[in-house]
Amino acid sequence: MKLNLANPTTGCQKMFELEDDKKLGIFMEKRLAAEVEADALGDEFKGYVLKIMGGQDKQGFPMKQGVLTKDRVKLMLGKGEQCCRGYGQRKGEKYRKSVRGCIVGHAISVLHCIIVKKGPEEIPGLTDNSIPRRLGPKRASKIRKLFNLTKDDDVRKFVIRREVPAKEEGGKPRDSKAPKIQRLVTPVTLQRKRHRMAIKKSRQMKAKAEAAEYAKLLAVRAKEAKEKKMEKLSQRRSQRDSARKDE
């Protein structure tokens, strides 16, 4: 079995070949998202705690969370679900896909884990090196969280920019690029919001005025209809009275 280890704090990743059954035994019968003490993997892993994140069997079928078995099963999966990309699927359409259960067994060929707790020893290629993030956060709240900013600070000054490399070797680097900040509140956005709210309020006032005018018109029409009805009734009564007098 191959063990793919990732260190979220440094951004490094390394693959290990495990052939000893004693070393593999610490992962057997464990489920996805289970935390495992990695002391049995070697002296350099003493004190390390790993978390199982996923895996594939020898045919490449991925493990799926919630399927409580070691075997491979076929499930009806739709677009957006785990283990189903949904390319070419319509809305509501589902395919029968083969997936491996969430329990680790001997059929797993690659197991993906992350380091939850670091031990005293350094693992070469995994904990002794740090790979900087190529792109920084894009959302305004996440930029504030990264630099510990307050609401009064200008987020636009803290955006992580990256320089675009030159097309030719030895040439000047091109302009730097920065992401467009999402959910950024500026005076322009507040002005647009006020404008939208003013339009909404004016529409509400207009609708209320039109409704009141319509209700007034309905009352006038109802009064006119009632007067016409009473006039017809009075005419019929007068006609009846005149007919009785003639008799």
Side-chain angles (χ1 to χ4, degrees):
M1 182 192 289
K2 293 180 180 178
L3 183 65
N4 187 21
L5 282 183
N7 191 357
T9 56
T10 61
C12 296
Q13 188 171 317
K14 191 174 182 181
M15 186 82 75
F16 295 90
E17 285 276 356
L18 299 180
E19 296 180 358
D20 190 359
D21 291 338
K22 290 183 180 179
K23 292 182 179 180
L24 293 175
I26 61 173
F27 298 106
M28 293 302 159
E29 304 297 329
K30 300 286 184 181
R31 296 184 187 176
L32 290 179
E35 294 185 0
V36 181
E37 294 183 358
D39 296 343
L41 296 179
D43 295 335
E44 57 185 2
F45 285 96
K46 280 189 177 179
Y48 280 82
V49 178
L50 308 178
K51 184 177 181 181
I52 302 173
M53 301 300 292
Q56 288 92 26
D57 60 8
K58 295 176 183 178
Q59 288 75 32
F61 292 100
M63 298 173 69
K64 181 172 172 60
Q65 182 68 282
V67 183
L68 301 177
T69 180
K70 300 180 194 174
D71 303 325
R72 193 190 305 165
V73 295
K74 284 192 172 184
L75 302 176
M76 294 293 290
L77 301 178
K79 186 176 182 180
E81 294 184 50
Q82 188 185 10
C83 304
C84 182
R85 294 181 179 177
Y87 292 144
Q89 284 186 338
R90 296 181 180 179
K91 186 177 181 181
E93 187 178 5
K94 291 191 175 184
Y95 287 163
R96 192 175 294 279
K97 308 285 284 186
S98 293
V99 294
R100 180 66 64 172
C102 68
I103 301 175
V104 180
H106 290 283
I108 301 297
S109 63
V110 182
L111 196 65
H112 305 282
C113 299
I114 61 170
I115 296 175
V116 177
K117 183 182 176 183
K118 184 178 176 293
E121 295 289 331
E122 296 285 344
I123 300 175
L126 193 62
T127 59
D128 58 350
N129 190 17
S130 180
I131 300 175
R133 289 178 60 180
R134 179 176 168 271
L135 301 176
K138 194 174 183 181
R139 191 182 299 174
S141 60
K142 292 187 176 180
I143 296 173
R144 288 193 187 97
K145 185 179 178 182
L146 179 64
F147 293 102
N148 197 16
L149 304 176
T150 61
K151 290 187 177 180
D152 299 328
D153 296 325
D154 191 3
V155 182
R156 291 171 289 187
K157 296 179 181 178
F158 294 88
V159 182
I160 298 175
R161 305 184 69 90
R162 65 180 183 89
E163 291 186 358
V164 181
K167 290 184 178 179
E168 300 177 358
E169 293 184 1
K172 290 184 178 180
R174 289 181 284 173
D175 295 337
S176 60
K177 283 187 176 181
K180 182 182 178 183
I181 303 174
Q182 302 295 319
R183 303 185 187 180
L184 179 64
V185 180
T186 60
V188 176
T189 56
L190 293 175
Q191 182 182 356
R192 287 173 182 164
K193 186 178 180 181
R194 286 195 298 268
H195 181 61
R196 287 196 307 270
M197 297 303 292
I199 292 174
K200 188 177 180 181
K201 195 172 182 180
S202 64
R203 285 175 181 169
Q204 289 176 351
M205 296 294 289
K206 185 182 177 184
K208 283 183 180 179
E210 289 178 352
E213 188 177 351
Y214 182 65
K216 191 176 179 181
L217 182 62
L218 281 179
V220 171
R221 296 279 172 83
K223 189 178 180 181
E224 290 176 355
K226 190 175 181 181
E227 288 176 355
K228 282 184 180 181
K229 188 177 181 181
M230 295 301 292
E231 187 178 351
K232 285 183 180 180
L233 285 173
S234 63
Q235 286 178 0
R236 286 177 186 173
R237 285 173 185 170
S238 61
Q239 286 175 2
R240 286 174 188 170
D241 292 342
S242 61
R244 285 175 185 174
K245 286 179 181 179
D246 293 341
E247 291 177 358

